[in-house]
Amino acid sequence: MAALLLAAIAAVITYFLVPNCDGHSLPESLTKLDEEKLPEETTINYTRLPRSIQPTHYSLFISPELEGNFTTKGNVTITLKIAEKTNTIRLNALDLKIDSKSTKVFASNNETNMKQIKINKQIEDKSDQAYTIYLDEHLNENEEYKLFIKFEGFLNDYMVGFYKSSYIDDKNNTRWLASTQFSPTDARRAFPCFDELDFKAKFQINIGRTADRQTLSNMKIDFFTSEGNKIWDHYKETPLMSTYILAFIVHDFKVQNVNNFAVWSREGHLPETLFAKSIGPNILNFFQSYFNVPYPLEKLDVVALPDFGFSAMENFGLITFRESKLLYSDSTSTTENQRDIALILAHELAHQWFGNLVTPKWWDDLWIKEGFATFFQYLGVKEILPDWNVMDEFYQCQTLEAFNIDKFASSRPIHFQVQNSNDIRQAFDRISYQKGAALIRMLHNFLGEITFNGGLREFIKTYLYSNANNVDLWKILTSEAHRNRVLDEDKSVEEIMKTWMIQAGYPVISVTKNNNRLILNQKRFLINNESEMTSEKWWVPISYETDASRNKIKTIWLKPNESYTINDFRDTWYLLNINQTGYFIVNYDEDNWRKLLEIIMHLQPGIRAQLISDSMDLARGGLLNYDVPLKMISTIGRSDDDINYVHYLAIFEKTNYLHNILRSTPIYGHFEIFFFDTFSFAFESVKFDEYPKEHYLRKRIRSLILKQACRTSDSKCTIEARVRYRNWMNRKSNDLEVIPPNEREIVYCTAIREGGHREWQAAYQAYLQSNSTSDKMILLKSLGCSSQHWILARLLELTISKNSTIRKQDGAEVFRSIATNFHGHSLAFEFLRTKWDEINRYYGVAFRAVSKMVEDLSTFMYTEFQLQQLEQFKKENKYNLKATDQAFDNTIEQVKANIAWMKTNYDSVSNWLKEHLAYLQIDVNK
């Protein structure tokens, strides 16, 4: 028997007899792991694995049970290279039952006669999510060994590790599948492994399945074997890669492909994969050309999964998606859906280089892979769909999104200390993604395209199949910048970017004119004008133009702890941060603000958006009088010749804050009169009905305008929406064409808000019956628009109910729709407070679901009493915050900022609105 075992391991376990699962009872540790049990998760600082051992190869056999007890069985053989003499092997394992009696360690220098190393003991450390094997003798430096472990696990429903998912087919049968989600630290839930970024190895995967299923993994299938009622798919070996991008799926999907690019979905949704299939290969080809490094694998599979925690995941050669983020139908999907699919697909394809081929050394540089992927998603879509003008949206959708969290003192640096898995999970936030992308855009701008592209090509080439950190990146970019003479020899990219890496926040550049001199200074911008100002300073690349030098952009550097003076300045007006490429805002002196206001309609829409965003934030932070941004908004809104998506997006995003914070105040009516009077031309001009083959941007403008036009009960838009919804309710079939896709969210939400149970129930029944992933999401979010408290309370309960009609992946989105609803926010807060433990058990710690709920609480919180409740809520759960402590800190500070705004700005805004309406001779009492 021993000889047979040695022979099998010597052959790297190319054949393994999996125990028969029929009638098999779960081990005791697994019988206790039911769906009500939260997966184990550390909340204390843990020790990273020692670097004395480097895994070089895995041979993994794993087979899931998709009928019955949803268990998994398998074994893994890991080839180990010893970097430093040791007598312990420590690797990661979590929620697994390891058969300690079968664990073996062999010296593998001579594979025909491998020596077995005696094991003294084996210990599981749940707090460290680790499994340690203590040996009777030391493993020698520079020698290879093989570790064999047999294990059992279970398919959880938290969408982490190896998990189960299901859907209802056209015959009303439940179809089960199993998929993986290993990022950031969940490969250890599927099999014992060295589950950290820099432990790159090659993987040979073998998956057991029944005859009615197929499997997918990172590579192509090499061959298959049969054994009893199991078929084993044996996959080709991967290149060197980290565990977090390993993936495998057991499924019954169908496929559409072009060459070696394939898109998979359940059969009924297969036609909806055509859009992704049509653009994916072109984006992939663009990135191959841009990076000058070919995509290295033989194939690339893209899969739409019914249950998935993220929007998508970049697994090497096997990209997994949430269905609503991949499937597109002309008859049921919106223009926003189509845009999201293109951008997210481009994001995941960019990851095949940034993240997969070149991987961060540790999670403190998560921004390298996520920031670059976010930046390049725009370049990828711009390349293949140039008429969408997606780069015009970058500032609004990325830079401003980062500002929205980075303007608070509780924000974190983009590069920060990661101490435990909760820190890792919390790092998947707007700082890593949006701020990372915004800083990369700034880097691209001050280096120039040639240097930026050349540096990235060299970076990828240098660290191919390896790991790198931000310092490695800066060194290569500095060398390229000096070679191309775009950066002075006494400057380095590291010196510049370090100020952006280790400091939270961003600067406000103050510009004053004094005796024909422009004087520039910087300080950190904080939205809470009661916050203590800090000492952060940055290297700031500043571009500017003037009335005398239009389209002739000049650039300067504002250094830390120094002001900058532009002498002999005689121009009438000036603009800084051209095309919004810098990660900062600008506060001009009063004279220049007034001059910019006079010429606002002669500036590009992107510049208007920038001026509106900067001035509204400056006013909110107490650095500028609200007279400036409100007059600017009034001027743009009253213009009858330019309903532009870019500046209207900025206006509505910024005025939405005023709409929310004034909602319970006496001046709210004045604000609404001002708002609807200002945008009356847009609201009258933009109608519901689309034209055949209408341009992408025109559709987006319509949706943007109508959403605002329908926000009051007596508007023409609201009346029209209710009529359309009534016609939809009275339809004689499930035909969704009664309401075009781009109008559905507006119509559904408006009618449900203004209606009662009958309207709500009609949407809920449509949600249950719909087969369209896009329409189901629109209906689901619209259910949270109700103004009936008991209905919203019922909907909240559905987000944590066992066997709920709402998928777990969608729960946080439903909570958001209620928490950001004026009629539902107090219900949402009470729900979170009273059911905290239950919510955490239901959602677990992955995907920041509960953190997102906490962050959504602040919209209508602006009193001291609400702040006390929130702080008490955190205090009561201080030992049970899981991965939400950063979210609590951010939300508490946002509420403090709201309170400060009411104290500081309410009276001035109130007076301005009264004076403005009186000037326009508008009677507010009518």
Side-chain angles (χ1 to χ4, degrees):
M1 183 65 185
L4 288 174
L5 182 59
L6 287 171
I9 295 177
V12 200
I13 315 296
T14 55
Y15 173 89
F16 177 70
L17 180 62
V18 176
N20 190 348
C21 295
D22 296 340
H24 177 75
S25 60
L26 284 170
E28 181 181 356
S29 62
L30 291 182
T31 57
K32 298 177 182 178
L33 290 170
D34 56 30
E35 292 186 1
E36 297 300 319
K37 182 178 182 297
L38 183 68
E40 297 289 348
E41 187 61 84
T42 182
T43 55
I44 63 174
N45 297 348
Y46 68 81
T47 305
R48 291 175 63 181
L49 298 176
R51 266 49 190 172
S52 55
I53 295 177
Q54 175 69 47
T56 60
H57 187 275
Y58 291 78
S59 179
L60 173 65
F61 285 74
I62 191 165
S63 178
E65 177 59 56
L66 289 176
E67 304 294 340
N69 56 20
F70 297 104
T71 57
T72 66
K73 290 176 177 292
N75 74 89
V76 62
T77 301
I78 311 175
T79 303
L80 308 173
K81 183 77 172 181
I82 309 305
E84 183 180 337
K85 191 174 183 179
T86 181
N87 65 343
T88 61
I89 301 174
R90 185 173 174 86
L91 69 167
N92 297 114
L94 183 62
D95 293 337
L96 296 174
K97 174 66 173 179
I98 292 177
D99 183 358
S100 59
K101 293 181 180 179
S102 70
T103 304
K104 302 287 188 297
V105 179
F106 293 89
S108 61
N109 287 343
N110 184 353
E111 293 193 352
T112 60
N113 186 23
M114 290 192 293
K115 173 189 174 184
Q116 184 169 343
I117 309 296
K118 183 180 178 181
I119 297 174
N120 285 336
K121 60 180 178 179
Q122 302 172 57
I123 296 177
E124 179 185 9
D125 184 348
K126 290 185 177 181
S127 66
D128 267 5
Q129 304 177 1
Y131 192 82
T132 305
I133 302 166
Y134 295 87
L135 305 172
D136 190 51
E137 59 184 89
H138 282 82
L139 306 180
N140 296 320
E141 187 175 342
N142 295 324
E143 292 188 3
E144 278 195 352
Y145 296 82
K146 291 191 184 296
L147 168 64
F148 174 82
I149 300 178
K150 187 176 174 183
F151 61 90
E152 296 182 9
F154 71 104
L155 298 172
N156 67 75
D157 69 345
Y158 291 96
M159 297 171 287
V160 293
F162 200 13
Y163 70 92
K164 62 184 176 181
S165 176
S166 67
Y167 68 91
I168 307 298
D169 66 16
D170 56 3
K171 297 180 181 178
N172 207 31
N173 296 317
T174 299
R175 303 291 297 173
W176 289 98
L177 60 131
S179 185
T180 58
Q181 173 57 43
F182 291 161
S183 177
T185 59
D186 291 309
R188 64 193 69 177
R189 296 184 190 273
F191 65 100
C193 58
F194 293 79
D195 198 16
E196 295 182 4
L197 290 173
D198 57 341
F199 283 121
K200 288 199 170 188
K202 296 180 179 181
F203 295 82
Q204 195 277 309
I205 305 299
N206 310 271
I207 309 172
R209 61 176 172 87
T210 53
D212 60 340
R213 299 293 202 280
Q214 302 176 69
T215 68
L216 289 169
S217 190
N218 305 82
M219 306 298 288
K220 285 186 174 182
I221 292 178
D222 193 13
F223 64 97
F224 68 89
T225 58
S226 298
E227 184 180 302
N229 65 345
K230 288 283 185 183
I231 298 173
W232 284 90
D233 292 333
H234 304 276
Y235 283 84
K236 293 182 178 181
E237 184 180 85
T238 72
L240 284 173
M241 56 186 274
S242 303
T243 51
Y244 82 95
I245 52 174
L246 185 69
F248 36 87
I249 305 172
V250 181
H251 66 94
D252 61 356
F253 293 157
K254 302 298 180 183
V255 64
Q256 301 234 33
N257 57 61
V258 51
N259 298 323
N260 289 314
F261 189 98
V263 188
W264 300 77
S265 75
R266 37 178 156 152
E267 185 173 13
H269 289 301
L270 195 60
E272 297 170 51
T273 64
L274 288 174
F275 177 65
K277 189 191 79 168
S278 68
I279 66 171
N282 295 330
I283 297 173
L284 190 69
N285 289 337
F286 167 69
F287 287 146
Q288 290 186 106
S289 175
Y290 190 93
F291 299 129
N292 200 32
V293 174
Y295 172 72
L297 306 185
E298 293 180 341
K299 60 88 179 177
L300 201 158
D301 290 305
V302 178
V303 186
L305 294 168
D307 298 284
F308 196 71
F310 289 123
S311 293
M313 176 61 205
E314 68 267 20
N315 311 302
F316 215 175
L318 179 55
I319 301 174
T320 44
F321 272 78
R322 185 180 295 199
E323 285 182 331
S324 61
K325 300 300 182 182
L326 182 67
L327 304 178
Y328 175 80
S329 166
D330 287 332
S331 62
T332 61
S333 302
T334 67
T335 305
E336 290 293 323
N337 294 146
Q338 190 176 28
R339 169 190 174 275
D340 286 351
I341 291 167
L343 287 171
I344 295 170
L345 181 56
H347 181 103
E348 307 310 326
L349 292 174
H351 268 312
Q352 304 303 302
W353 286 266
F354 280 95
N356 297 7
L357 282 173
V358 180
T359 309
K361 287 181 179 178
W362 186 237
W363 296 105
D364 53 5
D365 271 324
L366 173 66
W367 75 272
I368 291 180
K369 77 182 189 73
E370 295 303 344
F372 272 103
T374 303
F375 175 77
F376 276 107
Q377 72 186 41
Y378 283 85
L379 264 62
V381 174
K382 174 189 173 184
E383 177 69 19
I384 64 161
L385 296 165
D387 62 327
W388 282 16
N389 297 335
V390 292
M391 288 305 298
D392 291 347
E393 301 174 27
F394 187 97
Y395 176 70
Q396 295 289 323
C397 299
Q398 303 303 322
T399 306
L400 292 189
E401 273 298 297
F403 283 170
N404 284 340
I405 195 70
D406 218 15
K407 65 181 66 168
F408 295 101
S410 59
S411 182
R412 66 168 178 84
I414 196 168
H415 182 88
F416 74 116
Q417 186 175 8
V418 175
Q419 297 179 319
N420 58 51
S421 61
N422 285 341
D423 288 343
I424 295 171
R425 295 189 192 283
Q426 291 185 94
F428 286 78
D429 62 4
R430 282 177 282 181
I431 298 299
S432 293
Y433 285 74
Q434 277 80 17
K435 182 174 182 177
L439 292 180
I440 290 164
R441 183 170 182 245
M442 183 174 72
L443 184 71
H444 174 271
N445 187 66
F446 77 71
L447 289 178
E449 168 62 20
I450 294 174
T451 297
F452 181 79
N453 178 242
L456 292 189
R457 287 182 173 190
E458 184 62 27
F459 177 68
I460 294 173
K461 178 183 175 182
T462 301
Y463 293 100
L464 200 66
Y465 298 112
S466 186
N467 300 79
N469 60 22
N470 67 87
V471 175
D472 299 322
L473 175 63
W474 306 146
K475 287 179 180 178
I476 288 177
L477 288 175
T478 298
S479 177
E480 191 74 10
H482 288 165
R483 188 173 68 85
N484 292 332
R485 298 181 180 180
V486 299
L487 200 63
D488 293 341
E489 289 291 336
D490 62 344
K491 291 190 183 75
S492 71
V493 176
E494 180 179 3
E495 179 186 14
I496 294 165
M497 295 305 296
K498 185 177 180 179
T499 62
W500 299 94
M501 292 291 103
I502 64 174
Q503 300 180 124
Y506 58 93
V508 51
I509 307 302
S510 299
V511 192
T512 56
K513 188 176 180 181
N514 185 7
N515 296 326
N516 297 327
R517 293 185 304 160
L518 283 187
I519 303 171
L520 282 64
N521 288 284
Q522 63 165 299
K523 63 181 178 181
R524 181 178 177 181
F525 177 73
L526 291 171
I527 199 68
N528 187 344
N529 57 15
E530 290 186 347
S531 297
E532 181 181 351
M533 299 306 289
T534 55
S535 59
E536 292 92 339
K537 303 289 182 180
W538 293 264
W539 276 85
V540 187
I542 296 177
S543 56
Y544 71 96
E545 67 178 14
T546 70
D547 61 308
S549 60
R550 292 296 301 271
N551 302 318
K552 294 181 180 179
I553 299 173
K554 300 178 181 180
T555 58
I556 59 173
W557 282 100
L558 181 59
K559 300 178 182 180
N561 302 314
E562 293 183 15
S563 62
Y564 189 95
T565 300
I566 301 175
N567 293 306
D568 195 27
F569 186 88
R570 302 179 186 277
D571 296 342
T572 304
W573 56 260
Y574 50 92
L575 273 169
L576 271 65
N577 198 16
I578 309 304
N579 297 321
Q580 315 92 38
T581 54
Y583 190 70
F584 57 89
I585 63 175
V586 182
N587 192 10
Y588 304 100
D589 57 31
E590 183 177 353
D591 182 62
N592 198 59
W593 275 119
R594 299 298 173 191
K595 289 172 180 175
L596 291 176
L597 180 59
E598 292 172 4
I599 62 166
I600 189 71
M601 295 312 299
H602 299 288
L603 301 175
Q604 293 297 317
I607 295 176
R608 294 177 213 159
Q610 178 187 1
L611 292 173
I612 291 163
S613 296
D614 284 6
S615 60
M616 284 291 279
D617 276 358
L618 290 164
R620 184 177 164 187
L623 300 180
L624 184 67
N625 192 298
Y626 262 106
D627 179 64
V628 172
L630 291 178
K631 281 186 176 178
M632 197 176 294
I633 288 169
S634 179
T635 300
I636 295 172
R638 289 176 172 278
S639 172
D640 59 2
D641 61 352
D642 193 3
I643 303 177
N644 183 276
Y645 181 82
V646 173
H647 65 230
Y648 268 88
L649 183 64
I651 289 172
F652 293 153
E653 194 270 333
K654 292 302 179 182
T655 56
N656 192 51
Y657 178 79
L658 295 180
H659 172 266
N660 291 335
I661 203 166
L662 296 174
R663 188 67 182 268
S664 296
T665 69
I667 206 65
Y668 176 70
H670 290 69
F671 175 76
E672 288 295 90
I673 292 171
F674 159 71
F675 185 83
F676 276 84
D677 176 72
T678 299
F679 300 105
S680 59
F681 174 77
F683 294 162
E684 289 290 336
S685 301
V686 177
K687 306 298 183 183
F688 269 97
D689 294 318
E690 292 181 6
Y691 300 108
K693 297 183 179 180
E694 194 170 40
H695 190 269
Y696 160 88
L697 285 174
R698 190 64 193 173
K699 292 178 183 178
R700 298 198 71 202
I701 291 170
R702 173 176 289 102
S703 297
L704 183 70
I705 298 294
L706 289 179
K707 187 175 181 179
Q708 299 296 322
C710 278
R711 80 184 193 191
T712 61
S713 299
D714 58 353
S715 70
K716 291 180 180 179
C717 179
T718 296
I719 295 169
E720 176 68 16
R722 297 186 71 181
V723 169
R724 287 170 179 257
Y725 190 82
R726 193 178 305 116
N727 293 338
W728 174 77
M729 286 177 62
N730 295 330
R731 69 199 188 283
K732 295 182 180 180
S733 68
N734 288 328
D735 182 16
L736 296 172
E737 290 297 326
V738 176
I739 306 173
N742 288 305
E743 300 173 11
R744 286 177 192 164
E745 182 176 0
I746 299 160
V747 171
Y748 293 162
C749 185
T750 302
I752 290 171
R753 182 191 73 215
E754 300 297 325
H757 178 252
R758 183 169 176 265
E759 286 77 9
W760 190 91
Q761 191 64 28
Y764 182 60
Q765 288 301 317
Y767 164 75
L768 296 179
Q769 296 167 9
S770 176
N771 291 320
S772 164
T773 57
S774 301
D775 203 56
K776 284 182 82 75
M777 281 307 302
I778 293 173
L779 285 161
L780 191 56
K781 288 189 287 187
S782 298
L783 292 173
C785 295
S786 175
S787 57
Q788 305 292 314
H789 283 200
W790 72 271
I791 290 176
L792 296 176
R794 172 188 172 189
L795 184 58
L796 283 168
E797 286 295 331
L798 284 175
T799 63
I800 57 170
S801 299
K802 190 174 183 179
N803 301 319
S804 174
T805 53
I806 298 174
R807 289 186 183 270
K808 189 173 291 188
Q809 65 186 16
D810 300 324
E813 194 66 46
V814 175
F815 183 90
R816 171 174 294 173
S817 70
I818 299 171
T820 56
N821 174 352
F822 180 73
H823 302 285
H825 73 97
S826 59
L827 286 171
F829 184 31
E830 187 64 17
F831 176 76
L832 202 59
R833 284 198 301 170
T834 58
K835 296 184 180 293
W836 180 252
D837 291 339
E838 187 176 350
I839 291 168
N840 276 281
R841 281 196 302 271
Y842 187 78
Y843 287 100
V845 295
F847 314 116
R848 300 187 70 251
V850 185
S851 292
K852 292 173 184 175
M853 295 180 187
V854 173
E855 290 170 347
D856 288 331
L857 292 175
S858 65
T859 303
F860 296 104
M861 284 186 167
Y862 31 72
T863 68
E864 293 286 354
F865 177 69
Q866 289 171 316
L867 175 61
Q868 291 170 10
Q869 286 184 309
L870 184 61
E871 290 179 326
Q872 182 63 27
F873 177 30
K874 181 187 178 184
K875 183 178 179 181
E876 290 171 352
N877 293 281
K878 63 181 179 180
Y879 299 115
N880 190 30
L881 292 177
K882 305 294 181 184
T884 64
D885 51 339
Q886 182 69 47
F888 267 105
D889 290 344
N890 293 341
T891 304
I892 287 170
E893 193 178 355
Q894 288 183 56
V895 176
K896 288 180 178 178
N898 291 345
I899 294 169
W901 189 95
M902 293 296 292
K903 292 177 180 178
T904 307
N905 293 313
Y906 175 78
D907 288 342
S908 64
V909 170
S910 175
N911 292 334
W912 189 92
L913 289 170
K914 292 174 183 177
E915 292 171 2
H916 181 75
L917 295 179
Y919 173 78
L920 296 177
Q921 298 182 341
I922 297 175
D923 186 354
V924 297
N925 297 314
K926 284 187 178 180

